[in-house]
Each structure stands twice: as C-alpha cells, then as structure tokens.
Amino acid sequence: MRPSTLRSHALIVSITLLAVAAIFSLLRPEPQAAQLQLTGRTMGTSYSVKYRPGPDTPAPAALQTAVDALLAGINRTMSTYDPDSELSRFNRMRSTDWVPASASLLAVLNAALEIGAQSKGAFDITVGPLVNLWGFGPEFHPDRIPLEADIAAARARGGHDKLTLRDTPPAMRKHHSDVYLDLSGIAKGYGVDRVAELMAAHGIDNYMVEIGGEVRVRGLNAQDMPWRIAIEKPSPGERSVQTVLALSNIALATSGDYRNFFKIAGRRYSHTIDPATGWPVDNGLVSVTVLADTSMRADAWATAFQVLGPERGMTIAERLGLPVLFIIERNGQFEERVCCAFQQYRQQEIP
Ligand code: ADP
Ligand code: MG
C-alpha cells in the first residue's frame, strides 16, 4: 500500500471516528444543569426563584443582587406600605390634574382597570380606603367591625370611573381628590413577571419564580419534567395538598381567605373586600386558583374570583375561557369546581 493510501485510510478512519463521536454526543443526554435557588423577602412576603442556569448566566450572587434591586424598585413604585412610593405620593395628592406616571405603574394600572371592567367591578383598586378601614392596609388593625357610616364613606371614595389613564405622555388622573389606590392584589404578580423577564434576559430558559404564592414557570425542572406546583388544601392551621399541577410556560395564582384574615367575636373576616357592599367577602369560596399567560393577570383574577364567588365567577371564567379551580366549603367539606382547560394541567397520577 502506498503511503498516500495509508494516509487516506487513516484520514477516513479518523473522520469516521469523529462522526461516530458526534452521533454519540448527540444521543447522550446533556449533563444536567444544576438547579439553583434564590430566596429573599419582598412586598411583605417571601420570594423564591428556582432555575437552571444557561451558559451565559451570571453567578447566583450577581443574579440575586439584580432580582433584589428589581423588586425594590417595584416596591418603590407601587407599594402603599412605603409612604414615599410613587403610588403613595399620588394617593396623598389632592390635585385632580394629570400627573406623570412611570411606565411600570401605568402598565399595572392599565391592567387593573381592564380586569376591573371584565370582572364587572369585582377587582377594584380604588377599594384602598375600605381595605384600610377593615385593617388590612398599612394602618392599624381594628378589634371591632367598622361603623356602617364609615363603610359608606369609604365606598363613596371608590369606583374605577374616578381614575383616568393616558399613554402619551404617560400620565394618570384622579377625578376626586380623595381617591386612594391599592395595588396589593396585583403588584406581586407584576413583580413575578418582571423577575421572569430578568431570568430570560440572562439566558435562563428553565425557571420557577414565586412571590407570596404568585407563580410563573418556564421550561422544565431539573428532572426534565414540567414544574410541579402543589395547591394547598384551604384549611387554616393545617398544611396539606389539595391537588398538584404540572406546568410549563404559564402563570398561576391562588387566592384564599384561609390564611390572611382576622377574627372578631369568633368570626373570620377575609382581606378581600367586595367593592359592591364594602364588606369582606363571605360567599363560601375558600380558595381559587387561576392560570393565565402572565402572573399579573392570574393574581388580579384570583382576587376578582374571590369577590365574584363560584356562580358569577364561573360564568365570567367560561366567557373568557380562563382555567380556574374553585374550592367551596360546604358543611365542613371541600367541593371543587373547575373551568375550561384547568383539568388538563393536573399532574397525572402514575398508576
Ligand atoms: P390573595 O393572594 O388572597 O388574592 P392578594 O394579596 O393577591 O391576596 O390580594 C389581596 C389584597 O388585595 C388585599 O390585601 C387588598 O389590599 C387588596 N384587595 C382587597 N379587595 C380587593 C378588590 N376587590 N379588588 C382589588 N384589590 C383588592
Ligand atoms: Mg391577588
């Protein structure tokens, strides 16, 4: 055999080996990226982010700093607990003129008004005075039921017709000097969406972001499976699982009166207020879980359905095609009702 043929044989063998190696590397599963977790506190609750880093993802400490700065900025914009936030300053303002609004505040206000209209006023960010009166705001906690006259006065300050928004230039305007807005029913969800965007911007395709029970997931978990999210059984004082969902590329919010409530003379009062009556909701609905494209929408709708109750809620959920799980308490038993595609997100039982 001539040397040149030998060389070409060697070449063919090494090319074949390379090809085989390439095929093997294609077949072999990628070594699994570790799943990392960031946790912290924001908006009076805790947050947690689980993620599988991509090749260009910054170190966890740097990512944590970015998440904390992002959430601090959102709080600084829309918290009613921070007296210097953009929202608190707007709330204190007596003027009924146009006021410049930041892009993030305007985005949340626009969504709030839209969901307010779609929910027929059940979701209403002008309930702030009622929330405070019932002791669920940044102010004191009363030890007795507010006077009807005070409830009526607080109700008179509400209504979405008392607020107008403008996109260019971005601005907001009260129509009564005593309008006071409360974004606590939607801001956590907005925070989740922004953290999710931050993850994606850092090359992270697989994550689960959660702030105080508002969740958004993308991609798959460390086991290459959809993220498993457990819905709690709505019993105060007990922690057990009602159902487990398997989710990817979607947001979820659960709202319930079984954790955040206070008692007067042995009765439970929910932190969700029915704007139509001025009273905390009491309609047998103990927990509602909503799936939506964004966490902001899921969050607001969970509060809206809590107000609407199971019957009116189901009618609206069906009309909008929203996947919802209602859990109703009847004679000490929990009864489930689901809307639309909700059922298909439940974790399949392994036989
Ligand atoms: P949940 O997780 O139970 O929905 P959220 O924290 O999302 O609770 O929302 C509850 C908060 O929303 C209340 O503490 C109050 O500040 C505000 N809120 C209460 N009632 C309404 C309502 N009808 N519309 C909008 N916001 C409300
Ligand atoms: Mg909410």
Side-chain angles (χ1 to χ4, degrees), residues 288-291 305 314 317 322-326 337-340 342:
V288 53
T289 298
V290 183
L291 295 165
F305 286 126
M314 185 63 89
L322 285 174
V324 186
L325 166 69
F326 298 92
R337 292 190 202 162
V338 297
C339 181
C340 312
F342 190 88

Side-chain angles (χ1 to χ4, degrees), residues 184-186 214 299-300 302-303:
S184 301
I186 189 168
E214 320 299 346
D299 188 6
T303 299

Side-chain angles (χ1 to χ4, degrees), residues 122-124 127 131 182 184-185 188 254-256 271-273 299 303 307:
F123 187 77
D124 186 343
V127 291
V131 171
D182 174 7
S184 301
K188 278 181 284 156
T254 297
S255 169
H271 69 149
T272 304
I273 308 289
D299 188 6
T303 299
V307 173

Side-chain angles (χ1 to χ4, degrees), residues 129-204:
L130 286 162
V131 171
N132 292 345
L133 184 65
W134 283 95
F136 291 109
E139 294 163 19
F140 71 106
H141 276 251
D143 53 5
R144 58 200 165 92
I145 293 169
L147 298 172
E148 266 307 331
D150 291 338
I151 295 175
R155 270 191 64 207
R157 294 170 63 182
H160 277 178
D161 55 337
K162 297 194 176 66
L163 177 72
T164 312
L165 305 173
R166 184 177 75 189
D167 285 333
T168 35
M172 53 197 175
R173 181 182 175 189
K174 301 175 174 185
H175 294 282
H176 274 269
S177 53
D178 57 2
V179 166
Y180 173 102
L181 307 178
D182 174 7
L183 293 176
S184 301
I186 189 168
K188 278 181 284 156
Y190 176 74
V192 168
D193 289 332
R194 292 289 304 276
V195 173
E197 278 169 22
L198 183 82
M199 293 291 123
H202 284 108
I204 301 167

Side-chain angles (χ1 to χ4, degrees), residues 202-254:
H202 284 108
I204 301 167
D205 298 325
N206 302 285
Y207 58 71
M208 196 269 301
V209 178
E210 180 258 338
I211 302 177
E214 320 299 346
V215 178
R216 182 156 170 176
V217 296
R218 178 166 166 191
L220 303 171
N221 66 15
Q223 287 75 44
D224 273 329
M225 300 286 282
W227 297 89
R228 294 175 80 243
I229 311 288
I231 311 282
E232 267 188 309
K233 213 178 259 303
S235 341
E238 183 207 344
R239 294 219 172 224
S240 58
V241 171
Q242 174 84 20
T243 189
V244 178
L245 307 182
L247 304 177
S248 204
N249 309 328
I250 201 160
L252 159 144
T254 297

Side-chain angles (χ1 to χ4, degrees), residues 41-44 47 65-82 84-89 102-109 183-184 186-198 209 211 295-296 299:
R41 292 202 59 84
T42 184
M43 305 186 192
Y47 77 78
T65 305
V67 169
D68 283 333
L70 176 64
L71 292 171
I74 295 172
N75 242 350
R76 201 79 188 136
T77 306
M78 52 194 83
S79 171
T80 47
Y81 289 78
D82 177 351
D84 296 322
S85 72
E86 184 181 358
L87 184 65
S88 291
R89 282 184 277 119
S102 67
S104 57
L105 184 57
L106 200 62
V108 176
L109 291 175
L183 293 176
S184 301
I186 189 168
K188 278 181 284 156
Y190 176 74
V192 168
D193 289 332
R194 292 289 304 276
V195 173
E197 278 169 22
L198 183 82
V209 178
I211 302 177
S295 187
M296 175 169 72
D299 188 6

